[in-house]
Amino acid sequence: MRNIAILCSGGDVSGMNPALKRFVEYAKEKELTPYFIYDGFEGLIDNKIKAARYSDVSGIITRGGTKIGSARSERFKQAEFRLIAKKNLDALEIDMLLVLGGDGSFKGLDLFYKEHKVKFCGIPSTIDNDINGTDYCLGVDSALNIIKTSIDAIRDTASSFSRAFVVETMGRDSGYLALITHLTSGSELCLIPEREYNLADYEEEFKHQMKNGRRYFLVIAAEGIEQNSQDIADWFEEKIGIEARVSVLGHIQRGGNPSVKDRLMAYKFIVNAIDGLLDGQNDSVICYDRFGFNFKSIEEVTSTKKVLDSELLGYVKS
């Protein structure tokens, strides 16, 4: 039997555990021996590699995060440690590797393949949904549902106390989470890095709404915007005349029970990734777009910054 391993790299997302479960099941269906690499590329260097059994994935489909751990590795950027990683894989006769991660992880994998010919397939996994070439990354839907629940709860207290709430979402330099949340939450203002804004442009309209009975405002602000969320809250108090609060959602967005969509996408990503490796896709990323699942090169995925859908951006007032 041939051996195949999987690891998680970078930030964890809800959907990784369902992916691990399907990895073990499908590898065995294909008469492959599945291995878990614990703690990402750091674990690959430190030889934290163990054969995976059905019992290892029993009951994990409902859990967020990743049972095998994740990490960011500075050592893997150095050739000497990549050589150690290769020797660890060779000792177990592992010649295929799946990696749940993002751009940085994929670039490291590409170098690893060019140096040591370890066949791999990357699976886009980040709540930021900022990987070029794929419309969907594992973990996105679960994060959006966590945000939805949080926003709905914040609206209750905002309306009760007649306040403005500035809700800050994650996303690094991407406003995807904030944009989708704005469109699906009924918030009054969306501030994202991809679109310039001037709060003064909203002052007259918001004051008019207050005079006509508006009792509260919800603002969705991506963490990547230049302005501090507290400054936005201060603007509401000083210019609009309404008490304001800031709610930074933070890392709750990365955890929690994986949504049905992320469980299903994890299933499909894993099946397509393993099938691709067996069919000769030796150094690619499995992506998902309007045409379905397809394999793209590391260069295509990592060389261009992903831009937000222009149609979705068009729904937001500038």
Side-chain angles (χ1 to χ4, degrees):
M1 292 180 69
R2 298 178 64 185
N3 299 335
I4 186 171
I6 191 170
L7 65 81
C8 301
S9 178
D12 61 294
V13 303
S14 289
M16 284 181 167
N17 277 329
L20 296 177
K21 176 177 171 60
R22 186 54 189 159
F23 167 75
V24 172
E25 295 168 346
Y26 196 62
K28 289 181 178 294
E29 286 179 26
K30 291 294 183 176
E31 297 185 345
L32 304 171
T33 300
Y35 282 81
F36 283 160
I37 300 171
Y38 291 80
D39 299 329
F41 289 119
E42 287 290 286
L44 180 55
I45 295 168
D46 293 334
N47 204 24
K48 296 181 179 179
I49 308 171
K50 297 180 180 179
R53 302 164 298 175
Y54 287 121
S55 59
D56 293 321
V57 294
S58 177
I60 70 171
I61 198 169
T62 64
R63 292 163 49 187
T66 165
K67 181 175 181 178
I68 63 174
S70 186
R72 293 182 174 89
S73 176
E74 290 297 317
R75 291 191 296 169
F76 198 72
K77 296 177 181 179
Q78 302 175 43
E80 61 181 298
F81 290 107
R82 291 194 297 273
L83 179 58
I84 293 172
K86 174 62 164 62
K87 290 179 178 178
N88 290 337
L89 292 175
D90 286 347
L92 294 170
E93 298 183 336
I94 297 170
D95 63 352
M96 293 181 289
L97 186 61
L98 296 188
V99 173
L100 302 166
D103 281 356
S105 306
F106 299 158
K107 288 178 181 177
L109 275 175
D110 188 39
L111 192 57
F112 195 42
Y113 176 77
K114 289 174 179 176
E115 290 174 342
H116 302 296
K117 295 298 181 281
V118 175
K119 292 177 284 189
F120 74 86
C121 185
I123 296 177
S125 307
T126 169
I127 67 169
D128 303 336
N129 207 35
D130 61 351
I131 296 177
N132 186 53
T134 186
D135 291 341
Y136 192 86
C137 297
L138 197 61
V140 169
D141 190 64
S142 297
L144 286 170
N145 277 282
I146 290 287
I147 298 171
K148 174 189 71 68
T149 300
S150 301
I151 293 291
D152 289 349
I154 287 170
R155 176 183 284 104
D156 292 341
T157 190
S159 61
S160 297
F161 273 83
S162 298
R163 287 174 174 164
F165 268 84
V166 181
V167 183
E168 183 178 305
T169 63
M170 295 178 79
R172 295 186 299 180
D173 297 325
S174 171
Y176 179 84
L177 290 178
L179 175 60
I180 300 302
T181 297
H182 169 68
L183 296 176
T184 58
S185 70
S187 62
E188 283 66 55
L189 182 60
C190 177
L191 304 175
I192 56 178
E194 292 84 352
R195 174 160 288 179
E196 293 184 0
Y197 70 91
N198 186 340
L199 290 178
D201 295 339
Y202 302 97
E203 185 173 337
E204 183 178 344
E205 172 62 23
F206 285 179
K207 285 182 176 178
H208 177 74
Q209 291 181 18
M210 289 279 289
K211 289 179 180 178
N212 283 273
R214 176 171 290 285
R215 289 176 50 84
Y216 68 93
F217 292 90
L218 288 179
V219 180
I220 312 300
E223 66 178 351
I225 62 174
E226 294 184 4
Q227 199 166 12
N228 184 282
S229 293
Q230 186 57 54
D231 292 337
I232 299 169
D234 292 342
W235 177 81
F236 268 96
E237 294 196 344
E238 296 166 6
K239 299 297 184 180
I240 308 303
I242 184 172
E243 189 177 0
R245 295 288 187 273
V246 172
S247 182
V248 180
L249 298 184
H251 286 78
I252 66 168
Q253 296 162 90
R254 290 228 302 246
N257 188 289
S259 68
V260 169
K261 182 171 183 178
D262 271 326
R263 297 184 196 192
L264 180 60
M265 291 300 288
Y267 190 105
K268 292 182 176 181
F269 270 127
I270 290 293
V271 168
N272 280 275
I274 291 178
D275 284 347
L277 284 170
L278 295 176
D279 290 339
Q281 294 287 346
N282 294 336
D283 58 337
S284 62
V285 177
I286 180 67
C287 295
Y288 180 81
D289 57 27
R290 66 183 185 278
F291 301 110
F293 287 94
N294 52 83
F295 294 92
K296 295 183 178 177
S297 68
I298 294 294
E299 182 178 353
E300 183 176 358
V301 170
T302 62
S303 63
T304 305
K305 179 179 174 61
K306 183 175 181 177
V307 296
L308 289 181
D309 187 303
S310 58
E311 179 183 358
L312 295 177
L313 276 172
Y315 295 143
V316 181
K317 295 180 180 179
S318 58

